[in-house]
Amino acid sequence: MIPILLTPPRFGDDRGWFSETYHEQRFRDLGIAAAFVQDNHSYSKQAGTIRGIHFQRPPHAQAKLVRCVRGRIFDAAVDLRPASPTFGQYVAAELSADDGHQLFIPAGFGHAFMTLVEDCEVVYKVDAYYAPETEGGVRWDDPAIAIDWPVIDGVADVPMLSPKDAALPLLADAALDFAYDSTPLAQLQA
């Protein structure tokens, strides 16, 4: 599996809209067989906040289904499968409460996002429970990955980071043991 950008349809009328954000059979039809076991919800107060690049190692590696329910984010998935020909490369998409896009990120990929506006809320499903002994990460600004983070007017060049994220190692120093399934990273297709 590789990351997939999804746009669930919205059905609207004068009251607003309705959308099925997850439908197991439709996801299976797309090749997404993740059995989600936990929902997470994060709130970021300031524009320019970065969370990540995060992952959990096997045997607790996580696939994620990410969506922004308030505000706008730049969401990135990084190939962390050492045997992959696209190891260290990334794909990214803007997710917003307005557009309803979601990003499916399979196990073996790191995840990070940057808030593009103030007061962002992100929710995501995962298919493995949080296991702190297997959590890991890579620096947001690792030149080997070279994520092209957006520039936000009026926001400092250095993003808002947690102390934990600021201390993450470079890709070359990260402990990675993800299997490669012979599917290299490809550009996102909706």
Side-chain angles (χ1 to χ4, degrees):
M1 287 279 346
I2 57 174
I4 301 171
L5 184 63
L6 305 159
T7 306
R10 289 182 172 176
F11 306 95
D13 59 26
D14 293 340
R15 300 168 297 166
W17 53 264
F18 168 84
S19 181
E20 283 183 352
T21 59
Y22 175 73
H23 187 285
E24 182 182 19
Q25 187 58 52
R26 288 190 189 117
F27 275 57
R28 287 192 186 282
D29 292 346
L30 293 170
I32 300 171
F36 295 114
V37 298
Q38 180 177 313
D39 283 357
N40 299 322
H41 189 149
S42 74
Y43 167 73
S44 299
K45 188 188 319 188
Q46 295 182 359
T49 298
I50 290 181
R51 294 179 184 263
I53 303 168
H54 299 148
F55 59 85
Q56 280 191 179
R57 290 181 300 281
H60 302 288
Q62 296 176 323
K64 297 177 180 180
L65 179 62
V66 183
R67 64 192 176 104
C68 181
V69 296
R70 182 178 175 196
R72 287 185 310 119
I73 64 169
F74 174 85
D75 202 40
V78 180
D79 189 344
L80 297 178
R81 304 166 299 166
S84 171
T86 54
F87 176 71
Q89 295 178 24
Y90 75 95
V91 293
E94 185 173 304
L95 310 181
S96 76
D98 291 337
D99 65 27
H101 294 322
Q102 300 179 78
L103 186 58
F104 173 73
I105 303 169
F109 288 79
H111 175 240
F113 67 86
M114 172 189 250
T115 59
L116 301 176
V117 296
E118 293 180 348
D119 297 320
C120 286
E121 292 185 58
V122 175
V123 296
Y124 56 101
K125 295 180 170 309
V126 295
D127 69 346
Y129 295 108
Y130 173 62
E133 69 278 9
T134 65
E135 73 178 328
V138 177
R139 279 181 45 164
W140 68 279
D141 61 349
D142 187 327
I145 300 169
I147 294 176
D148 188 15
W149 296 103
V151 175
I152 304 170
D153 288 340
V155 174
D157 290 339
V158 177
M160 169 76 70
L161 298 167
S162 71
K164 185 176 174 180
D165 285 355
L168 289 173
L170 295 172
L171 181 62
D173 300 323
L176 302 172
D177 55 354
F178 295 110
Y180 175 59
D181 65 359
S182 74
T183 307
L185 183 64
Q187 291 303 311
L188 292 174
Q189 309 257 329

